[in-house]
Amino acid sequence: MDYVDKRNRLEEKFFSYRVFKDNKVFIFWHEKQVMILKGKESEKFLARVAKADEIESQLIMAKITGNFKRGNEKNNKRR
């Protein structure tokens, strides 16, 4: 895993998740909801996370959420 997380960012534990009714999985980044998984996606996610340690589960959530953050959130002002 060293080759994936060269800056050790996954140790900061940005991601978390909660399981709700009907096995819906809500994924959070800094306590803000960024994704909802339902059905087979949620079952697959829960199976993968059950086998993983904390850092691996952070990587799984980072990969699932994909590119939701593009780096331009700080500059909301038009130039």
Side-chain angles (χ1 to χ4, degrees):
M1 174 122 45
D2 293 335
Y3 62 91
V4 174
D5 187 24
K6 292 180 182 178
R7 296 184 295 162
N8 297 324
R9 297 289 301 220
L10 295 175
E11 291 179 4
E12 297 176 27
K13 299 176 184 141
F14 295 124
F15 291 98
S16 62
Y17 71 95
R18 293 187 195 137
V19 181
F20 287 92
K21 292 182 181 178
D22 301 328
N23 278 340
K24 286 185 182 178
V25 177
F26 289 68
I27 298 179
F28 298 89
W29 179 77
H30 288 290
E31 299 179 11
K32 294 180 184 177
Q33 179 185 327
V34 293
M35 182 168 272
I36 300 172
L37 301 175
K38 303 175 194 173
K40 291 183 181 181
E41 288 182 329
S42 67
E43 291 173 11
K44 184 178 173 182
F45 170 78
L46 292 172
R48 289 178 67 195
V49 170
K51 297 175 186 176
D53 64 8
E54 287 190 39
I55 294 176
E56 288 179 39
S57 63
Q58 289 291 307
L59 180 61
I60 291 167
M61 288 183 273
K63 286 183 176 182
I64 287 176
T65 56
N67 192 13
F68 75 92
K69 199 169 154 37
R70 301 191 183 273
N72 59 357
E73 289 81 9
K74 292 180 184 177
N75 300 327
N76 290 333
K77 298 177 184 176
R78 292 186 180 187
R79 293 182 179 184

